């Protein structure tokens, strides 16, 4: 029986402006690659932020590896890549190696010390993601695509079982975006890492993800992309033409 | 008067030792504060120190004894700034501004009730490192050791939180504890630095070495080292220069730091003309 990585039951989240998520019940199993799509303001980012304990849950439950999100502490099992580090100071003086090394803190106890073995782990991860040549560069000096690769290395360096990506390609050009999606698909396939990808790009979800989660504050669809494309409910919701466009695989 | 002669004075030896240690502390903490856009926290805490010193002087506690009153008040105020930013819809600079105004107004009222500004209170305003006592040197050495141990224990956590607080939290870092450690260490250093550059100029010791280091550093570790080096050198050179030219030491130290910043900026422009 497949292992449950994420389970939500009637999950609700609210901001001052009102409800952003209502009655979300989904189960993500080990090895799944789930693309989370939906229009702006549909609660995609709120869902992953709630799972990570970064925003409060107003009702229902959310479990990470069987533990309620508010009490979850095994952060070594989770990797997270945010949309982009908008607030990253361009003169921030950390090198790529220093930045990626911070991902290993989730495996350490206080006081967190990075050893020679840790530095080798960082080097291997940089090599694997093709950014070893940037090791001594300052993170603020890199292009958007390079920064995202380095932050992905940071998210993967602790060998997580679950990788959560929140619109990681928003600032990338189409070519870099496609390379990035292929990389994530490889990580899911070859390492068996469960992936939750928040994106606007339903085409990319169709091409790479094993499951699609369509949100618009409520859960509109959760299943495989094939089921989505054949679903009469989705035809009724989007219209056949729109559904056809969304299901068009590149 | 030659260099050896100057060094033979006990008050110069005390000033050099305590001044260098305090400047190194401020410079190291300054890197985290500048990068987290909390540079002016030193100013805010210095104003609280002014208020607390006025209380200490009203209680007839002078010199090192005044720290018994100042330290707890400033430490609590630093946590107050943190709570204000966490619990209210205020940004860090507004919270610092509120606490700062509270400190300076309390100081003025207390000084006025206590019969006006006396010499002791004014020495805290503008600093007088050459008047530092042996007792104050011992306190500076002790607190330097405490702050350095805590800084080295929390180094990676501080770096992670400075880089991005949310990512740090998802790496299992207890960000609330790390933030509290940073402001408490800053509060300790500000109280110590009062005698060095005075309340009016304290933030320059926190900001300028870090600002210079950011121009030249090629890694976070080197940034910390550059900053500490500038802080220490500015105090040593400042003491000699002020002694030789009969200028106020605190202002000389600050002007030297400004000169170092100018040089660092020029070097960066030369190395990277595109900046």
């Amino acid at each position: 029986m497949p292992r449950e990585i994420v389970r939500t039951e009637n999950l609700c989240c609210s901001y001052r402006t009102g409800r952003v998520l209502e009655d979300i019940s989904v189960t993500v199993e080990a090895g799944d690659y789930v693309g989370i799509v939906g229009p702006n303001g549909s609660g995609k980012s709120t869902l992953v932020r709630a799972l990570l304990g970064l925003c409060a849950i107003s009702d229902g439950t959310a479990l990470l590896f069987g533990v309620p999100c508010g009490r979850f502490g095994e952060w070594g099992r989770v990797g997270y890549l945010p949309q982009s580090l908008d607030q990253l100071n361009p003169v921030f003086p950390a090198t790529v190696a220093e930045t990626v090394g911070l991902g290993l803190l989730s495996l350490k106890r206080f006081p967190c010390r990075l050893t020679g073995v840790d530095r080798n782990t960082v080097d291997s991860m940089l090599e694997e993601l093709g950014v070893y040549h940037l090791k001594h560069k300052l993170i603020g000096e890199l292009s958007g695509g390079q920064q995202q690769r380095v932050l992905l290395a940071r998210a993967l360096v602790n060998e997580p079982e679950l990788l959560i990506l929140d619109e990681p390609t928003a600032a990338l050009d189409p070519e870099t975006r496609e390379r990035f999606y292929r990389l994530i698909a490889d990580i899911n396939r070859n390492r068996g890492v469960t992936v939750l990808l928040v994106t606007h790009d339903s085409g990319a979800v169709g091409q790479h993800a094993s499951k699609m989660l369509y949100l618009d504050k409520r859960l509109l669809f959760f299943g495989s992309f094939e089921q989505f494309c054949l679903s009469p409910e989705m035809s009724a919701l989007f219209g056949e033409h729109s559904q056809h466009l969304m299901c068009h695989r590149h | 008067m030659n260099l050896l002669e100057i060094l033979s004075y006990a008050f110069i030896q005390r000033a050099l030792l305590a001044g260098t240690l305090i400047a190194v502390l401020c410079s190291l903490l300054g890197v985290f504060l500048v990068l987290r856009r909390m540079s002016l926290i030193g100013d805010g805490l210095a104003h609280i120190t002014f208020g607390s010193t006025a209380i200490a002087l009203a209680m007839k506690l002078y010199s090192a004894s005044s720290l018994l009153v100042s330290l707890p008040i400033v430490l609590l105020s630093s946590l107050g700034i943190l709570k204000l930013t966490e619990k209210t819809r205020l940004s860090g600079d507004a919270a610092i501004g509120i606490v700062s105004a509270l400190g300076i107004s309390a100081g003025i009222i207390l000084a006025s009730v206590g019969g006006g500004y006396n010499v002791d209170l004014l020495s805290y305003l503008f600093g007088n490192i050459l008047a530092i006592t042996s007792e104050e040197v011992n306190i500076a050495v002790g607190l330097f050791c405490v702050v350095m141990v805590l800084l080295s224990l929390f180094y990676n956590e501080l770096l992670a939180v400075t880089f991005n607080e949310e990512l740090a939290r998802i790496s299992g870092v207890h960000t609330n504890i790390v933030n509290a450690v940073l402001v408490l260490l800053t509060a300790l250093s500000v109280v110590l630095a009062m005698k060095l550059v005075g309340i009016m100029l304290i933030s320059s010791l926190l900001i300028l070495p870090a600002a210079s280091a950011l121009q030249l550093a090629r890694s976070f570790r080197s940034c910390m080292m550059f900053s500490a080096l500038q802080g220490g050198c500015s105090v040593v050179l400042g003491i000699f220069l002020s002694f030789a030219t009969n200028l106020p030491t605190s202002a000389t130290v600050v002007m030297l730091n400004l000169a170092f910043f100018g040089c660092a900026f020029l070097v960066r422009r030369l190395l990277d003309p595109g900046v």
Side-chain angles (χ1 to χ4, degrees):
Chain A
M1 193 177 155
R3 208 157 42 96
E4 277 181 11
I5 302 292
V6 172
R7 186 151 61 91
T8 67
E9 278 170 17
N10 309 111
L11 177 70
C12 301
C13 292
S14 307
Y15 291 138
R16 259 186 232 102
T17 47
R19 277 264 156 103
V20 240
L21 279 181
E22 205 152 349
D23 279 337
I24 309 293
S25 299
V26 290
T27 300
V28 177
E29 291 165 347
D32 278 350
Y33 181 166
V34 180
I36 304 172
V37 289
N40 282 338
S42 57
K44 305 184 295 290
S45 292
T46 304
L47 175 61
V48 294
R49 289 174 66 78
L51 293 175
L52 292 167
L54 295 174
C55 82
I57 293 170
S58 49
D59 218 344
T61 53
L63 305 176
L64 262 186
F65 298 97
V67 180
C69 292
R71 285 196 275 129
F72 185 77
E74 294 177 84
W75 292 111
R77 301 174 82 178
V78 180
Y80 173 58
L81 179 59
Q83 185 170 0
S84 65
L85 293 180
D86 292 335
Q87 291 156 350
L88 178 62
N89 187 340
V91 296
F92 197 90
T95 61
V96 164
E98 284 174 324
T99 306
V100 174
L102 293 177
L104 289 168
L105 298 189
S106 56
L107 302 174
K108 306 268 176 192
R109 280 166 180 266
F110 177 80
C112 299
R113 297 250 171 254
L114 296 185
T115 61
V117 176
D118 294 327
R119 278 185 276 277
N120 290 340
T121 309
V122 168
D123 286 353
S124 309
M125 184 48 64
L126 292 174
E127 264 174 31
E128 203 174 323
L129 294 191
V131 284
Y132 184 79
H133 62 290
L134 303 172
K135 183 183 170 185
H136 299 296
K137 287 246 180 205
L138 296 183
I139 180 89
E141 291 176 351
L142 306 182
S143 68
Q146 288 172 330
Q147 273 186 7
Q148 282 305 72
R149 264 184 185 250
V150 170
L151 292 174
L152 180 62
R154 185 195 186 283
L156 289 171
V157 73
N158 52 342
E159 300 193 352
E161 294 168 55
L162 171 66
L163 178 63
I164 297 179
L165 308 112
D166 188 0
E167 297 194 44
T169 59
L172 305 184
D173 62 77
E175 202 178 314
T176 315
R177 195 181 306 162
E178 188 45 39
R179 273 207 302 272
F180 192 86
Y181 283 135
R182 276 204 297 270
L183 181 64
I184 301 297
D186 285 346
I187 288 163
N188 169 251
R189 225 179 1 255
N190 302 333
R191 292 166 165 251
V193 175
T194 307
V195 176
L196 291 186
L197 168 72
V198 173
T199 180
H200 278 289
D201 193 346
S202 51
V205 171
Q207 201 172 6
H208 301 292
S210 60
K211 285 181 182 164
M212 181 176 183
L213 194 160
Y214 198 100
L215 277 181
D216 194 358
K217 297 193 177 171
R218 289 176 166 276
L219 182 64
L220 297 185
F221 177 83
F222 183 53
S224 72
F225 202 70
E226 284 75 16
Q227 286 170 332
F228 175 81
C229 294
L230 297 171
S231 160
E233 288 87 0
M234 291 299 105
S235 299
L237 188 68
F238 296 106
E240 274 184 28
H241 180 65
S242 297
Q243 190 190 22
H244 173 75
L245 283 179
M246 286 168 80
C247 295
H248 174 71
R249 289 176 183 237
H250 299 282
Chain B
M1 191 178 284
N2 63 33
L3 196 67
L4 281 176
E5 240 179 298
I6 296 174
L7 282 172
S8 65
Y9 291 112
F11 71 94
I12 291 282
Q13 291 166 3
R14 287 197 296 271
L16 283 171
L17 177 61
T20 311
L21 296 184
I22 294 164
V24 167
L25 283 186
C26 288
S27 314
L28 291 173
L29 291 167
V31 173
F32 297 107
L33 296 173
V34 167
L35 285 169
R36 299 193 64 185
R37 297 179 172 90
M38 289 168 72
S39 313
L40 289 177
I41 195 171
D43 232 24
L45 293 176
H47 288 155
I48 288 288
T49 311
F50 176 75
S52 62
T53 305
I55 296 174
L57 295 180
M59 293 165 70
K60 309 277 183 228
L61 292 169
Y62 302 100
S63 277
S65 316
S66 70
L67 292 178
L68 293 172
V69 175
S70 297
L71 266 179
I73 292 178
V74 179
L75 288 173
L76 283 174
S77 303
S78 65
L79 292 175
I81 291 175
L82 208 59
K83 282 286 163 219
L84 265 178
T85 49
E86 278 170 14
K87 303 284 180 199
T88 62
R89 294 164 74 181
L90 286 174
S91 57
D93 58 345
I96 290 167
I98 290 171
V99 174
S100 178
L102 173 73
I104 205 85
S105 52
I108 292 169
I109 289 171
L110 282 166
S112 160
V113 170
Y117 299 95
N118 57 34
V119 177
D120 278 310
L121 197 54
L122 287 179
S123 81
Y124 285 105
L125 271 181
F126 302 109
N128 190 1
I129 192 176
L130 300 181
I132 215 158
T133 63
S134 304
E135 208 179 356
E136 285 167 331
V137 172
N138 291 337
I139 292 170
V141 172
L143 287 182
F144 175 81
C145 295
V146 170
V147 177
M148 287 305 280
V149 167
L150 286 173
L151 255 186
S152 70
L153 285 176
F154 280 94
Y155 173 79
N156 279 312
E157 283 90 344
L158 279 166
L159 171 55
V161 172
T162 306
F163 181 69
N164 186 286
E165 199 159 330
E166 281 191 353
L167 281 179
R169 212 187 304 173
I170 293 158
S171 294
V173 174
H174 296 287
T175 53
N176 289 342
I177 295 176
V178 175
N179 285 334
V181 166
L182 180 62
V183 294
L184 287 173
L185 294 183
T186 307
L188 274 178
S189 306
V190 165
V191 173
L192 283 175
M194 255 186 336
K195 260 285 169 64
L196 184 63
V197 287
I199 288 156
M200 305 297 281
L201 299 171
I202 230 159
S203 57
S204 63
L205 215 55
L206 285 165
I207 299 172
L208 281 169
S212 308
L214 285 172
Q215 307 302 311
L216 303 172
R218 297 302 302 164
S219 70
F220 200 82
R221 211 165 272 276
S222 71
C223 188
M224 300 280 283
M225 282 179 345
F226 273 132
S227 186
L229 190 68
Q230 173 173 326
C233 287
S234 66
V235 167
V236 173
L237 291 175
I239 287 172
F240 286 127
L241 199 62
S242 68
F243 199 84
T245 55
N246 203 23
L247 288 170
T249 313
S250 57
T252 310
V253 169
V254 174
M255 292 309 274
L256 272 173
N257 269 308
L258 262 172
F260 283 138
F261 173 71
C263 293
F265 177 71
L266 284 176
V267 170
R268 184 173 163 86
R269 288 296 291 249
L270 286 172
L271 293 175
D272 191 356
V275 175

